[in-house]
Amino acid sequence: MFIVVTILIMIAAVLLALVVLVQNGKGGGLAANFASQNQVMGVRRTTDFLEKATWTIAIALIVLCLISSALIPSTRKSTNTLNNAAQTSIPAATNNAQGNTANPIK
């Protein structure tokens, strides 16, 4: 499930970048390409659509990121492995403390 959400995040990020690149802050962008009188959508309608698409994709991206943080796989196996490795090295240190001194420190 985590992989599916991650793929959806990547798709949403690419779509958001494309929608933002189509826009132009000075009234140009996609709206400037349709300057004739025979247009289906007006200039104002195009900018409204692009603004709504930007907000929708941005909110979807935030929600998907929150969902993915809840679905991150746990790393308990690796933690247990590290704890087991630490416990196996402890008896070697206690042998020296019990009197098995191969190399005494003076």
Side-chain angles (χ1 to χ4, degrees):
M1 187 67 179
F2 179 73
I3 295 172
V4 172
V5 174
T6 304
I7 291 171
L8 289 174
I9 289 172
M10 286 186 225
I11 292 171
V14 169
L15 285 175
L16 183 62
L18 291 175
V19 169
V20 169
L21 287 174
V22 167
Q23 296 177 10
N24 188 359
K26 297 180 182 178
L30 183 64
N33 292 336
F34 301 109
S36 69
Q37 292 291 338
N38 298 350
Q39 56 188 332
V40 176
M41 294 173 57
V43 174
R44 183 71 185 149
R45 291 175 124 186
T46 304
T47 56
D48 285 345
F49 170 75
L50 290 174
E51 184 178 354
K52 287 179 184 178
T54 302
W55 279 106
T56 304
I57 296 171
I59 291 170
L61 187 62
I62 292 169
V63 170
L64 286 170
C65 288
L66 291 174
I67 290 171
S68 71
S69 68
L71 295 176
I72 293 176
S74 65
T75 57
R76 292 185 184 201
K77 280 187 175 182
S78 63
T79 305
N80 289 337
T81 305
L82 292 175
N83 288 338
N84 291 339
Q87 289 175 355
T88 57
S89 64
I90 291 173
T94 56
N95 285 340
N96 288 338
Q98 293 175 354
N100 297 339
T101 56
N103 198 3
I105 301 174
K106 292 186 180 183

